[in-house]
Amino acid sequence: MNIKLQGKLFLAFACATASVLLVVAWFANWNFDKGFREYLNQAAIERTESIRNALVEHYNSTGSWQDLQDNPQLLRQLILQTIDWDRHKRFIEKSRRSDGENISRKQEKHRRKIFERHFREARYLRLYDEKDKLIIASSSWQGGVEDELRVPLMLDNEQIGTFALRKVRLKRNRLDYEFREQQLKKLWKVVVFALLISALLSWLLSRNLIAPIRELAKGAAALGDGDYARRVEVRGSDELASLGRDFNQLASTLEKNEQSRQQWIADISHELRTPLAVLRGEIEAVLDGVREFNSDNVKSLHAEVLALGRLVDDLYQLALSDAGALDYRFSREDPRELLELSLDAFDLRYQQASLSLSAPHLPQLNAAIRADRKRFTQLMHNLLENSLRYTDAGGQVILNAEVLDENLKITLVDSSPSVAEEDLPKIFERLYRVDQSRSREHGGSGLGLSLCKNIVEAHGGRISAEVSNIGGLKVSVYLPLWSDE
């Protein structure tokens, strides 16, 4: 049988509360029964007080229990002497007055029997001497010692014997038995009513608990169908509310990722379509005879193919980096050597672009870093390529490296044009360009800085960008130093 979660919660709550109620009811029943019997026993002891006093007076006058032992009928006489016959007569007279007529002998006999029931314990008693030797035992009582209620008989602070009477036995058609049964019936009625209330509360509680779970389930199904704008209502501050907030955060992240994916596909399509459109246009122009097939046109086609190749290569590298498939082989490296090699590789191209490339403080650098030689070189080449493409002719690019705390800080500063403050946090996003000053006409794919960020983070460092003090862009890279531990 397939029981839903609400049903399981209801059964769990109902069974738990029912179990507790039944245990409490059983204990209350047991405790009441025990307490009621103790009360009846104590009341029986108190009703025999006059008999015990008569026995003590008899012992005081005779000095022993011998006469009672020799003549058991004497005990009955002592008991009869304790009955307040005057009180019984007043009871009869009062009954006659209340009835307004004479009471028949049968009624009077019945009332006498009721009155004598107060002393029924006298028919079930035993008397022990001071040495706990049985002196007298009622013939009507055949029970053992475990059925006795014992009361010491004291004279001048000395125990002269023990008076024992039978423990109260609940019998049907007795007032005490009927009272006990009435109380127990009331108790079980209360238990049944409490069980019904607990079942109702269990149902309400299970429904209240399952409501946010159902909403989360519907939201999860909506996310599975691609509805990333779906949100759930969060109420309270418990674990379910925390789960609802996490769900909304997940939905928001998925929505942003879906938007990024769609934008990524659109940007990639646009990036690939641009050089392909140029290639197609020029080839068709040659085929149609609009343009001559000469070396200049071939060079133009070759340039577009190179641009398309760089874009595809950058996409491939970035995809490998995102998938964690780029090969990193970390070792102890000298950053000054690696930086000088990168500067030498770009020196000629910077001269051809009429740009000044310098590293005034690099010779003083003395440090070691944990790096992958190939990826570190790729990082610096991407940064230097970015400055080369987007710095105006006649400008300058300055490279600096220094040890700062436990990191090597590398800064690359170029001159104008710069990037607007609001665009700085976005320049490490893939395919992002500032169209006004760093546009596609410079040949960039918009993926270089994204790849740089992935490489730096793989080295355990961080990268940031800000406006430089010479009017361009300042990129700062922090890489951890080599540790011998």
Side-chain angles (χ1 to χ4, degrees):
M1 181 174 58
N2 186 16
I3 302 178
K4 294 185 178 181
L5 182 58
Q6 181 176 353
K8 293 179 180 179
L9 288 175
F10 169 74
L11 290 176
F13 293 143
C15 291
T17 53
S19 300
V20 172
L21 283 173
L22 291 175
V23 170
V24 171
W26 174 84
F27 178 77
N29 185 11
W30 173 82
N31 191 55
F32 171 80
D33 198 49
K34 179 175 178 294
F36 186 64
R37 291 176 185 274
E38 290 177 354
Y39 164 76
L40 293 178
N41 289 330
Q42 186 62 33
I45 292 174
E46 291 178 0
R47 286 196 296 269
T48 61
E49 183 179 4
S50 57
I51 300 175
R52 288 183 275 114
N53 291 337
L55 289 172
V56 172
E57 291 177 3
H58 179 79
Y59 183 90
N60 188 29
S61 62
T62 60
S64 69
W65 303 110
Q66 188 63 43
D67 54 344
L68 291 176
Q69 188 174 11
D70 296 337
N71 185 12
Q73 294 297 325
L74 184 59
L75 177 61
R76 180 175 178 80
Q77 295 177 7
L78 289 175
I79 293 174
L80 291 175
Q81 291 175 5
T82 63
I83 299 177
D84 190 354
W85 295 107
D86 292 335
R87 179 182 176 187
H88 175 60
K89 291 178 181 179
R90 290 193 299 270
F91 174 77
I92 298 298
E93 292 297 330
K94 183 177 179 182
S95 299
R96 287 196 181 100
R97 289 194 300 270
S98 63
D99 291 344
E101 58 182 8
N102 292 335
I103 301 178
S104 65
R105 289 184 178 181
K106 186 176 182 180
Q107 291 174 323
E108 184 173 338
K109 184 179 179 181
H110 178 68
R111 292 180 185 274
R112 181 185 293 273
K113 183 181 291 186
I114 294 175
F115 183 78
E116 289 179 351
R117 285 179 61 186
H118 291 284
F119 300 96
R120 62 183 178 272
E121 290 82 3
R123 294 180 295 173
Y124 303 99
L125 59 83
R126 291 173 180 171
L127 181 63
Y128 298 87
D129 62 9
E130 63 276 10
K131 296 181 180 180
D132 206 25
K133 179 182 178 181
L134 181 64
I135 298 174
I136 299 175
S138 173
S139 60
S140 301
W141 183 14
Q142 302 299 327
V145 178
E146 66 277 2
D147 294 330
E148 293 181 345
L149 292 174
R150 290 187 164 221
V151 183
L153 299 177
M154 307 298 294
L155 178 64
D156 298 332
N157 295 327
E158 291 185 5
Q159 184 172 349
I160 59 175
T162 302
F163 181 83
L165 67 155
R166 189 181 67 176
K167 292 181 180 179
V168 175
R169 296 181 179 180
L170 296 177
K171 296 182 179 181
R172 294 184 180 275
N173 302 323
R174 286 267 299 272
L175 293 177
D176 48 10
Y177 178 83
E178 293 175 358
F179 173 78
R180 170 180 171 272
E181 291 300 309
Q182 289 176 358
Q183 297 303 313
L184 293 181
K185 287 180 180 179
K186 292 179 181 179
L187 172 63
W188 286 108
K189 287 181 181 179
V190 172
V191 170
V192 172
F193 179 75
L195 286 173
L196 294 176
I197 294 297
S198 66
L200 176 61
L201 293 177
S202 298
W203 180 76
L204 293 175
L205 182 60
S206 62
R207 189 182 68 170
N208 184 59
L209 287 176
I210 206 66
I213 297 178
R214 284 178 175 171
E215 189 173 356
L216 284 170
K218 292 179 181 178
L223 288 183
D225 294 336
D227 183 11
Y228 300 120
R230 182 66 176 267
R231 300 293 185 272
V232 297
E233 183 180 357
V234 178
R235 295 184 294 270
S237 58
D238 56 7
E239 288 80 358
L240 288 176
S242 177
L243 181 60
R245 285 189 289 269
D246 292 341
F247 176 87
N248 289 338
Q249 180 64 34
L250 172 64
S252 177
T253 302
L254 289 175
E255 185 178 20
K256 292 179 181 178
N257 289 342
E258 177 62 15
Q259 293 174 353
S260 299
R261 185 186 69 84
Q262 294 176 357
Q263 184 64 38
W264 167 260
I265 293 175
D267 290 342
I268 290 297
S269 300
H270 185 71
E271 293 292 334
L272 292 174
R273 187 168 57 247
T274 300
L276 288 174
V278 173
L279 282 173
R280 178 182 177 182
E282 293 192 4
I283 292 173
E284 289 179 349
V286 172
L287 293 175
D288 294 339
V290 177
R291 301 184 62 179
E292 296 181 2
F293 186 72
N294 52 35
S295 59
D296 293 335
N297 292 334
V298 171
K299 289 179 180 179
S300 176
L301 293 174
H302 183 255
E304 293 298 332
V305 171
L306 291 178
L308 184 60
R310 285 194 299 269
L311 175 59
V312 173
D313 185 62
D314 287 345
L315 286 172
Y316 177 71
Q317 292 292 329
L318 189 59
L320 289 178
S321 178
D322 289 340
L326 281 181
D327 184 23
Y328 286 91
R329 297 183 180 180
F330 295 103
S331 60
R332 179 188 175 98
E333 298 291 345
D334 183 358
R336 184 178 66 180
E337 175 190 354
L338 297 179
L339 291 173
E340 288 176 346
L341 291 174
S342 297
L343 291 174
D344 292 341
F346 278 82
D347 184 58
L348 180 59
R349 294 182 59 193
Y350 268 76
Q351 293 180 17
Q352 293 174 348
S354 301
L355 293 175
S356 170
L357 177 62
S358 62
H361 303 291
L362 189 58
Q364 289 78 35
L365 179 62
N366 184 17
I369 60 173
R370 177 180 177 273
D372 179 280
R373 188 181 187 90
K374 177 181 178 181
R375 300 305 170 193
F376 182 87
T377 302
Q378 185 180 10
L379 165 67
M380 296 311 303
H381 282 201
N382 282 350
L383 293 177
L384 291 170
E385 184 72 29
N386 188 71
S387 295
L388 175 64
R389 288 177 178 171
Y390 298 117
T391 304
D392 292 342
Q396 57 178 327
V397 177
I398 303 173
L399 177 67
N400 188 28
E402 60 180 333
V403 175
L404 186 63
D405 296 330
E406 299 296 326
N407 296 294
L408 172 67
K409 179 182 179 183
I410 303 173
T411 56
L412 190 65
V413 180
D414 58 35
S415 57
S416 61
S418 185
V419 177
E421 291 284 349
E422 62 271 15
D423 293 323
L424 286 174
K426 303 177 183 178
I427 65 172
F428 294 104
E429 297 179 4
R430 56 201 62 183
L431 298 175
Y432 181 80
R433 292 190 189 86
V434 181
D435 292 337
Q436 290 79 2
S437 59
R438 298 179 179 245
S439 62
R440 188 176 288 106
E441 67 183 18
H442 293 92
S445 65
L447 298 173
L449 291 180
S450 296
L451 188 58
C452 288
K453 181 180 179 182
N454 286 3
I455 294 175
V456 170
E457 291 177 350
H459 280 74
R462 66 183 189 276
I463 186 171
S464 60
E466 58 186 299
V467 177
S468 71
N469 56 0
I470 56 175
L473 186 67
K474 176 182 178 182
V475 178
S476 300
V477 176
Y478 297 85
L479 297 175
L481 295 175
W482 174 266
S483 176
D484 293 326
E485 295 180 359

